[in-house]
Amino acid sequence: MRALLMYAISLLAATHSFAADGNPELGKQVYEKWCTPCHAPGDLYPGTLALRAKYKGALPDALEQRSDLTPDMVKYFVRNGVTIMPFFRKTEISDAELNAIADYLTKQGTKQ
Ligand code: HEC
């Protein structure tokens, strides 16, 4: 039983470190710097308000509360922008930082 438990824990640790490649802690920091001015929860943020209008309550308006985002989707919007959201250059947000943001945002659903 104990051996089985140890096995399960090591398996979890292995899959977790694999999935955590992008570094969600760094992702949170970079997200707070560049994204929360528009995407923080509440009524004051243009990204949050635009997504509230877009999904009409079908999905949470604040990105950090979404559980449907994929890394590719996050990267696409950050590099291309959408409506008033600017695209971000690699000199602003590096690929490593963008991976970290994607990792951070796509882990929210499993954290809650
Ligand atoms: C200047 C404000 C602004 C900033 C800064 C900003 N966004 Fe946005 N973002 C928006 C707006 C507005 C939309 C919604 C556009 C629309 O109506 O479809 C959006 C949409 C998105 C979407 C698409 C969500 C969906 O379901 O359609 C993603 C993903 C996203 N932003 C991620 C980010 C990330 C990550 C950052 C930080 C690197 C960021 N945004 C910074 C304003 C911003």
Side-chain angles (χ1 to χ4, degrees):
M1 193 57 205
R2 203 183 130 89
L4 194 66
L5 193 68
M6 293 306 289
Y7 176 67
I9 290 171
S10 66
L11 204 68
L12 258 176
T15 44
H16 182 76
S17 63
F18 177 71
D21 237 354
N23 193 346
E25 289 76 24
L26 172 68
K28 183 172 164 51
Q29 286 169 22
V30 186
Y31 181 83
E32 280 170 0
K33 175 174 175 191
W34 292 101
C35 317
T36 51
C38 287
H39 286 291
D43 295 333
L44 301 173
Y45 308 97
T48 305
L49 291 175
L51 293 175
R52 187 181 298 171
K54 178 175 176 185
Y55 293 115
K56 300 182 170 54
L59 291 172
D61 52 14
L63 288 181
E64 285 176 287
Q65 290 158 11
R66 296 267 293 269
S67 55
D68 64 305
L69 294 171
T70 64
D72 281 348
M73 185 180 172
V74 173
K75 290 176 197 175
Y76 176 83
F77 282 105
V78 171
R79 288 290 181 235
N80 295 281
V82 55
T83 67
I84 65 155
M85 174 174 159
F87 66 87
F88 294 86
R89 294 178 176 82
K90 293 187 185 189
T91 48
E92 295 163 323
I93 299 177
S94 70
D95 283 336
E97 288 172 333
L98 184 51
N99 281 336
I101 294 178
D103 199 45
Y104 172 62
L105 285 180
T106 52
K107 282 207 160 37
Q108 295 311 301
T110 52
K111 251 191 226 162
Q112 287 163 2

